[in-house]
Amino acid sequence: MCFSATASFIAGASLSALGVATVKKAQRKAEVPFAMIPLLFGVQQFIEGMLWLSFRFDAPLLNVTMTYAFTLFSHVLWPIFVPLSIGLVETVAWRKKVISAFQIIGITVGLYLLYLIVRFPVTSEVDEHIVYVLPHFYKVPVMALYLAATCVVSFFSSHKLINVFGVLALLLFMVAYWFYTVAFFSVWCFFAAILSAVIYLHFRLGKQRTPGLMPSRA
């Protein structure tokens, strides 16, 4: 969470607790990765909380470690993990094939960004919010493929609340980018924490196989 260390740690604890509750609702091993997303959001918020502390106490080693840890979450983990977890939950054959295409996109984008993170320095600074300085990410094609892997893939799920997850993720991304252009990645991750409630509801409501955004065919 981009606003303070305290807010980040509170969010991290809350999301971790929600994540544990969500994982317990999973009934199949294939559902566990998707159920883990709130827990992973919680870990990411703890990382940013530690990053805030690195600025407060002038701890350069902690700053570098947490900056790279957060960036690996935001740039590498999510484009790979989100389509993979949605694909594991899906049971409709043609939808699984479409989602597998997004999995390939996610792996490609994630590995490309991993290469750039390793190849070029990544830094963070405070300008009211935490700003991550990695200009290579802001290229339009990379951004478009990233959004496809993390948001658009959800549109092809046969589960209504997973559709909602994708729509909200995309809308929150646009809101964060519009109002917080420089620090939008950190702010978007805060907004994305809202998505954890949608994932919990998906499992809490019995994971009813409600029709998705597109007509379901076997």
Side-chain angles (χ1 to χ4, degrees):
M1 191 174 297
C2 60
F3 303 111
S4 70
T6 301
S8 293
F9 287 129
I10 291 174
S14 301
L15 288 168
S16 296
L18 181 61
V20 171
T22 305
V23 170
K24 288 181 178 180
K25 296 290 183 182
Q27 295 179 355
R28 299 182 294 118
K29 288 184 178 180
E31 296 174 335
V32 172
F34 189 67
M36 285 179 60
I37 290 179
L39 182 59
L40 293 173
F41 273 134
V43 173
Q44 190 171 4
Q45 295 305 319
F46 277 122
I47 290 172
E48 197 157 49
M50 294 298 293
L51 185 55
W52 273 108
L53 293 181
S54 76
F55 289 111
R56 180 182 302 175
F57 297 105
D58 191 21
L61 180 58
L62 179 62
N63 179 273
V64 170
T65 302
M66 294 300 103
T67 296
Y68 275 90
F70 184 92
T71 306
L72 289 173
F73 258 83
S74 61
H75 287 62
V76 180
L77 174 67
W78 292 127
I80 295 175
F81 190 82
V82 170
L84 173 65
S85 63
I86 291 174
L88 289 172
V89 171
E90 188 54 56
T91 57
V92 179
W94 76 268
R95 292 179 183 272
K96 286 186 74 74
K97 292 180 180 179
V98 174
I99 292 171
S100 67
F102 285 92
Q103 291 172 349
I104 294 172
I105 292 173
I107 291 171
T108 302
V109 172
L111 292 179
Y112 172 71
L113 291 173
L114 176 61
Y115 163 75
L116 293 177
I117 289 169
V118 173
R119 178 68 177 80
F120 302 101
V122 178
T123 60
S124 60
E125 57 192 43
V126 174
D127 182 11
E128 294 187 8
H129 311 284
I130 292 181
V131 177
Y132 297 89
V133 183
L134 14 60
H136 47 265
F137 177 76
Y138 295 88
K139 295 179 180 178
V140 173
V142 178
M143 184 78 77
L145 292 175
Y146 182 96
L147 291 176
T150 56
C151 304
V152 179
V153 61
S154 302
F155 300 172
F156 294 91
S157 173
S158 59
H159 305 290
K160 185 175 181 180
L161 283 173
I162 295 182
N163 298 155
V164 173
F165 171 88
V167 171
L168 277 178
L170 190 57
L171 289 175
L172 291 171
F173 174 91
M174 291 188 289
V175 169
Y177 189 83
W178 181 264
F179 290 102
Y180 303 96
T181 303
V182 175
F184 89 95
F185 220 94
S186 176
V187 178
W188 183 42
C189 288
F190 161 53
F191 286 151
I194 300 171
L195 302 174
S196 298
V198 176
I199 296 174
Y200 177 77
L201 286 175
H202 169 72
F203 291 95
R204 178 68 178 84
L205 298 179
K207 302 178 294 302
Q208 297 174 349
R209 298 322 189 231
T210 51
L213 292 178
M214 302 182 68
S216 181
R217 300 187 189 93

